[in-house]
Amino acid sequence: MKKGNVWALLPIGVFLVLYLGFGITFEYILKIPMGFYNIPIVVTFLAALLVACLQNRKLSFDQKLELMGKGVGDKNIVTMILIFLEAGIFVGVVGRESAESVAYFMLSIIPAQYAVAVLFVVGCFVSLAMGTSVGTITLLTPIAVAVANASGFDMALCVASVIGGAMFGDNLSFISDTTIAACNGQGCKMKDKFRANFFIALPAAIATLVLILVLSLNSDIKGALLNDYSLIRIIPYLLVLIGGIAGINVFVVLLIGIVSGSVIMLATGGTTATALLGNMGTGAAGMFETTMVAVLVSAICALIREHGGFDALLSGIKKVFRGKKGGQLGMGVLVGALDIATANNTVAIVMANPIAKEIATEYGISAKKTASILDTFSCVFQGIIPYGAQMLVAISAVNALGFEISAFDIIPKLFYPYLLLISSLIFIFAVPAKEKD
C-alpha cells in the first residue's frame, strides 16, 4: 500500500463545506423552500476539482488531465452514464399515468381497512418499476392525502408508508440511479446485487407491512378512494422488472421498456409521436446533473487516489473497523455519513465507490456485497433525513393540497428505513458468511 496522505482528501472536505454551508444558509437562514436542492451541485464539485488540481505539485497539469481522463474513461463509469441516459428516456416515455394506474387499481380491489398497506405495497412496486423514489413520492403522496382524508387514517402514517415503499424500490430497482451507480462502481452484475440485496430488503418490507396492518386494524375507517386506471400502461414496467430479474442485459431490458412503452402510449392515445420524442429528450435531459456528478467525481477521485488520499482513508478505517464484518460496517458508515452530508444517495454512492472498492479488496468482500451495502445504507439515511428530497417533496405535496404536516410528524412513522437498517446489521453480523456469498 502507498503511503497515505490525509491532505489529499481536502477536495472532499471542500465540497462538503460548500454544500452544507450553502444548504444550511438557503434552507434555515434564508428560508428558501427545498434549499438544499437549489445549490448548483455541479458547480460545487467543480470547485472541489479545482482544489484537487492545485494539489500534488509533483505532477504537471497535463499529467493530471491524463489521470482524470483515465478515471472518467473507466468502463464502469461509461456504462453507468449510458444506463443513466437510457433509464431517463424510459421514464420519459411511460410517464406518470402508468404509476397512478397501479395505485388506483389496487385501491379499487382491496378493502378500505387495508388502504395504508396498499399505499406501502404500491410504493414498493412503482419505485421498483420506475427506479426513482422522488418520482414515486411525487405521484403517490396526493393519493396518500386523499386516502387519509377519505378514510380517517393518520396523514403522517399514510405519507410515511409512501416514503418507505419508495425507498424499497429505490434500493432494489434495476433502473434506479443508486443501483446503477453501486453496481457499475463495483463492477458487479445487477442481478447479483439484486439477489444479495433482496434478502436484506424483503424481511424489512414484510415487517413494515405487518406493523402497518396492526396499526390499521386499530383505526376507525370512514370510506374508500376510487378513480380511473389503465392496466395496459403498467406493461412496460412489468417487462423491465421481469427482464432485470431474469438477468437480461440491462441495455436490452431498458430498450424493451422504451419500445413497448412507446407503442402502448401511442396506441392508447396517451401521447402523440412528436410529444413522445420530446418526452424522450426531457427524460434524458433529466439525467444531466447525475451524469455530470459521476464524471466530476470520477475525475476528482482519480487525483485523490494518486495523491494518497484513499490509502490514508483506508488506513483510518482499518484502525476503527477490523475484520471482514468490520469492513462491511465501515462501508455502511462511510456512505451513510456522505449521504447525511450531501442529502443525495446517488452522490454519496458515487463518492464512496472508489473508497469502498479499496476496502473490499483489502478485506476480501465480494463486489455484489459491497454494492448491496452501499445502496442499502445510503437508502436508509436518505429515507430518514428531514432535509432530503424525498421528505421535502412529500411535505410540499401535502401542503399544496391544503394540509399541514412536518418532517417530525413523519419521521417516527418511517418504519421501513429503520427496519432496513436492522436487517442490514443482522445481514452483516449474524448471517454466516457462506450463506451470504
Side-chain angles (χ1 to χ4, degrees):
M1 183 186 294
K2 295 180 182 178
K3 184 179 179 181
N5 181 5
V6 174
W7 284 107
L9 298 170
L10 182 61
I12 296 177
V14 168
F15 166 77
L16 295 178
V17 169
L18 289 174
Y19 189 86
L20 284 174
F22 282 120
I24 292 170
T25 301
F26 289 174
E27 187 78 32
Y28 300 107
I29 298 176
L30 300 178
K31 305 295 183 181
I32 298 174
M34 301 282 286
F36 274 88
Y37 294 88
N38 282 283
I39 302 169
I41 195 168
V42 171
V43 176
T44 311
F45 271 118
L46 278 171
L49 180 59
L50 175 61
V51 172
C53 288
L54 293 175
Q55 290 184 305
N56 197 5
R57 296 186 180 181
K58 293 180 181 179
L59 298 177
S60 67
F61 185 64
D62 281 345
Q63 289 174 313
K64 291 173 183 176
L65 285 174
E66 187 176 347
L67 283 171
M68 287 189 279
K70 289 179 179 178
V72 174
D74 181 87
K75 174 188 173 183
N76 293 322
I77 300 297
V78 174
T79 302
M80 185 193 309
I81 290 170
L82 292 175
I83 295 173
F84 278 151
L85 294 174
E86 197 174 4
I89 293 170
F90 170 72
V91 173
V93 165
V94 295
R96 61 181 293 163
E97 291 84 0
S98 302
E100 290 175 341
S101 291
V102 177
Y104 288 126
F105 168 66
M106 292 192 67
L107 286 168
S108 70
I109 63 172
I110 296 176
Q113 194 171 23
Y114 305 106
V116 182
V118 169
L119 287 173
F120 176 71
V121 172
V122 169
C124 291
F125 175 81
V126 170
S127 57
L128 195 60
M130 288 181 67
T132 165
S133 55
V134 172
T136 300
I137 292 166
T138 301
L139 293 175
L140 298 185
T141 298
I143 299 174
V145 172
V147 167
N149 194 40
S151 66
F153 277 117
D154 177 47
M155 183 79 69
L157 177 62
C158 291
V159 174
S161 297
V162 168
I163 295 174
M167 297 316 297
F168 174 87
D170 194 320
N171 183 206
L172 286 175
S173 175
F174 286 87
I175 59 171
S176 166
D177 47 5
T178 58
T179 296
I180 296 166
C183 290
N184 286 282
Q186 299 305 314
C188 74
K189 294 180 179 178
M190 289 189 180
K191 65 176 183 179
D192 293 335
K193 181 263 184 187
F194 176 86
R195 289 167 183 166
N197 222 25
F198 184 74
F199 293 105
I200 304 173
L202 183 62
I206 292 173
T208 300
L209 187 58
V210 170
L211 191 52
I212 290 172
L213 287 171
V214 169
L215 293 174
S216 297
L217 293 174
N218 294 323
S219 300
D220 183 22
I221 309 305
K222 295 187 299 186
L225 180 69
L226 299 175
N227 213 320
D228 295 332
Y229 54 85
S230 174
L231 287 181
I232 193 173
R233 292 190 181 179
I234 72 172
I235 291 175
Y237 288 134
L238 291 174
L239 291 175
V240 168
L241 184 60
I242 294 168
I245 295 173
I248 300 172
N249 182 282
V250 66
F251 290 109
V252 175
V253 169
L254 286 171
L255 184 60
I256 291 171
I258 292 168
V259 172
S260 63
S262 299
V263 170
I264 288 171
M265 292 300 289
L266 291 171
T268 58
T271 188
T272 63
T274 52
L276 181 68
L277 290 173
N279 292 339
M280 288 182 180
T282 301
M287 288 292 186
F288 169 76
E289 186 173 83
T290 303
T291 300
M292 288 309 302
V293 165
V295 169
L296 292 171
V297 169
S298 61
I300 293 168
C301 287
L303 296 177
I304 291 175
R305 180 185 288 109
E306 180 67 22
H307 202 26
F310 290 163
D311 291 321
L313 192 56
L314 181 58
S315 177
I317 290 174
K318 285 178 66 178
K319 291 178 182 176
V320 178
F321 302 99
R322 300 182 181 278
K324 191 171 184 178
K325 294 181 184 295
Q328 293 175 69
L329 180 61
M331 292 176 185
V333 171
L334 171 68
V335 76
L338 288 171
D339 185 77
I340 291 170
T342 62
N344 187 309
N345 46 346
T346 304
V347 172
I349 290 171
V350 172
M351 292 177 69
N353 258 330
I355 305 168
K357 201 163 190 176
E358 300 276 358
I359 297 172
T361 301
E362 182 72 18
Y363 288 105
I365 303 168
S366 68
K368 65 180 181 182
K369 248 185 236 178
T370 302
S372 175
I373 289 169
L374 291 178
D375 201 346
T376 301
F377 274 84
S378 69
C379 282
V380 165
F381 290 97
Q382 186 67 24
I384 296 170
I385 53 176
Y387 50 89
Q390 289 75 6
M391 186 71 72
L392 295 175
V393 165
I395 292 170
S396 297
V398 174
N399 293 341
L401 293 170
F403 298 90
E404 290 188 5
I405 198 169
S406 75
F408 299 101
D409 296 323
I410 299 170
I411 288 173
K413 297 178 174 66
L414 286 168
F415 308 131
Y416 179 72
Y418 302 133
L419 291 168
L420 181 61
L421 177 60
I422 293 171
S423 182
S424 300
L425 294 174
I426 291 173
F427 172 80
I428 290 174
F429 292 105
V431 179
K434 63 181 181 180
E435 293 180 22
K436 293 184 288 181
D437 289 326

